[in-house]
């Protein structure tokens, strides 16, 4: 079978809504997404998650992990840290060893539970940066479960991602969009986990079963986009694009004219990892992507 595309980039976003890390070689897989992806998030004094939708300054917060954190089987030591930087702020180091303190009443979208609290120093740092009470919390996989919408992926789980463990997008789709924009935009506007190259624009709409490095992924739902792609990830400032252009070419009215209209725009494909009981699996840059099954049009894809 001929590969439909290859993996061009892999992105991991340790803190929800903060800048991602473009991995240099590979990233370990877990059932809830790539290891380290959306394990942390910033919350307000009611325990509710901050995102770029309400705090676009989060776009400027950079995270750095040790290079070895992306090796399969690696475990942190007492000297392993996530390093956090932002304009005008001192560097913040967060131990990768799990904290002992618990924060109750933590919520993101439909989910509410407890999380691990990263303590006073992190709280003060984000409070000062955002100018409002904040805490940094880490997902507690030992006590909590956050299921994916069973309508689309029954039995699957996530940490602090919006909805699904993985989001895939093609370079061809971005290139096609950029041809229509007055000012081209980079891939970071769309915050994918997997960027593939070598396929026709919007091919990923149709993929329902793909294999990458002997791992099977299921395309479970077209990714409907919120306002975050309108936020310049270098400045934290929002504008009208690309949403205005996407509405003309990627709305449900255009792609799914005979389906119930919800006023949504789509860009990318949400994935779950199906054979996720096997340990020690990684995706690598350059891995070929094989399409095992697909639908005939975006109108037939789950959305």
């Amino acid at each position: 079978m001929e590969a439909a595309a290859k993996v061009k980039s892999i992105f991991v976003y340790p803190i929800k809504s903060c800048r991602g890390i473009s991995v240099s070689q590979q990233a370990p897989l877990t059932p809830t997404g790539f290891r380290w992806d959306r394990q942390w998030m910033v919350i307000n004094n009611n325990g509710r998650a901050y995102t770029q939708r309400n705090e676009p300054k989060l776009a400027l917060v950079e995270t750095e992990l040790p290079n070895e954190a992306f090796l399969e089987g690696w475990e942190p030591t007492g000297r392993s840290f996530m390093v956090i930087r932002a304009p005008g702020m001192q560097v913040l180091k967060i131990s990768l060893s799990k904290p002992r303190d618990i924060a109750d009443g933590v919520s993101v979208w439909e989910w509410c539970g407890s999380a691990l609290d990263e303590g006073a120093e992190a709280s003060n740092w984000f409070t000062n940066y955002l100018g409002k009470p904040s805490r940094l919390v880490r997902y507690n996989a030992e006590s909590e479960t956050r299921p994916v919408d069973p309508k689309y992926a029954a039995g699957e789980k996530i940490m602090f991602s919006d909805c699904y463990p993985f989001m895939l997008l093609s370079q061809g789709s971005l290139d096609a969009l950029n041809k229509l924009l007055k000012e081209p935009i980079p891939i970071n506007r769309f915050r994918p986990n997997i960027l593939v190259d070598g396929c026709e624009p919007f091919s990923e709409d149709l993929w329902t079963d793909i294999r990458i490095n002997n791992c099977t992924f299921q395309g479970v739902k077209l990714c409907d986009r919120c306002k975050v792609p309108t936020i310049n990830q270098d400045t934290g400032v929002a504008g009208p694009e690309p949403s205005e252009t996407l509405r003309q070419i990627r709305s449900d009215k255009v792609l799914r004219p005979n389906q119930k209209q919800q006023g949504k725009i789509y860009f990318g494909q949400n994935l779950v990892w199906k054979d996720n009981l096997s340990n020690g699996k990684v995706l690598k840059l350059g891995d070929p992507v094989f399409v095992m099954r697909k639908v005939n049009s975006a109108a037939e894809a789950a959305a």
Side-chain angles (χ1 to χ4, degrees), residues 247-259:
R247 196 164 297 285
Q248 296 170 21
I249 63 168
R250 299 289 300 170
S251 67
D252 48 8
K253 186 176 181 180
V254 173
L255 297 181
R256 308 163 62 78
N258 299 321
Q259 310 273 8

Side-chain angles (χ1 to χ4, degrees), residues 183-234:
E183 295 185 17
I185 58 174
I187 193 62
N188 64 10
R189 292 286 192 102
F190 295 102
R191 301 174 66 80
N193 295 111
I194 304 169
L195 179 67
V196 301
D197 197 9
C199 58
E200 292 295 312
F202 312 115
S203 297
E204 64 270 27
D205 290 354
L206 312 181
W207 299 348
T208 52
D209 283 294
I210 63 174
R211 283 186 74 75
I212 309 174
N213 196 19
N214 292 318
C215 298
T216 303
F217 295 87
Q218 184 177 354
V220 292
K221 185 179 183 295
L222 298 181
C223 185
D224 57 280
R225 310 310 306 217
C226 61
K227 68 174 280 188
V228 171
T230 68
I231 299 170
N232 185 318
Q233 298 295 295
D234 295 324

Side-chain angles (χ1 to χ4, degrees), residues 15 42 84 92 122-130 132 134 136:
I15 306 176
V42 186
I84 304 173
L92 174 66
S123 174
N124 292 337
W125 195 94
F126 278 100
T127 296
N128 291 335
Y129 178 66
L130 295 176
K132 53 189 70 174
S134 308
L136 180 67

